[in-house]
Amino acid sequence: MPLTARLEWDDSCLLVKRHGTTEHLFTTFVPVWPEGTKPVRAADGRRGIEIPKVGQLFEGALFEMVGTEMPAIRDAPATCAAHDGFFVVEPWGMRRLQT
């Protein structure tokens, strides 16, 4: 399923927040990024990630991705468990809409 979202940091997790329509059950997700994704930090201190074949995304970036919503994931970090759900990101079909 496609998801348009904004990358956000909440002091414990890097999250994606659904952008636009509010008709969906979940609005804030802990992303499960594709293999090879690494954490990065911008010169101004913003947190982000570097995704193979996509590039870097920093908090505040609006982007579109394809994946699957999951209500729970086994062995999820406790600091991230309090959010609406998880979004398993496919390594294809991701594009930046705004930085």
Side-chain angles (χ1 to χ4, degrees):
M1 95 176 270
L3 173 68
T4 300
R6 188 170 303 279
L7 198 59
E8 295 186 356
W9 176 257
D10 82 340
D11 295 327
S12 62
C13 286
L14 192 59
L15 306 171
V16 292
K17 187 166 187 176
R18 189 184 302 275
H19 183 75
T21 179
T22 58
E23 63 202 35
H24 300 281
L25 179 61
F26 296 150
T27 57
T28 303
F29 300 92
V30 175
V32 178
W33 300 108
E35 187 175 339
T37 299
K38 298 182 232 175
V40 292
R41 190 172 292 237
D44 63 5
R46 290 178 300 149
R47 290 175 169 92
I49 52 169
E50 184 170 334
I51 305 166
K53 298 182 183 177
V54 174
Q56 295 182 343
L57 289 174
F58 292 99
E59 56 187 306
L62 184 64
F63 61 99
E64 197 172 71
M65 61 185 169
V66 175
T68 306
E69 291 181 29
M70 306 285 286
I73 291 187
R74 197 168 71 176
D75 301 325
T79 56
C80 296
H83 301 287
D84 292 341
F86 295 84
F87 195 87
V88 180
V89 180
E90 293 294 335
W92 52 271
M94 186 174 217
R95 68 185 180 108
R96 185 183 342 254
L97 301 175
Q98 163 191 335
T99 55

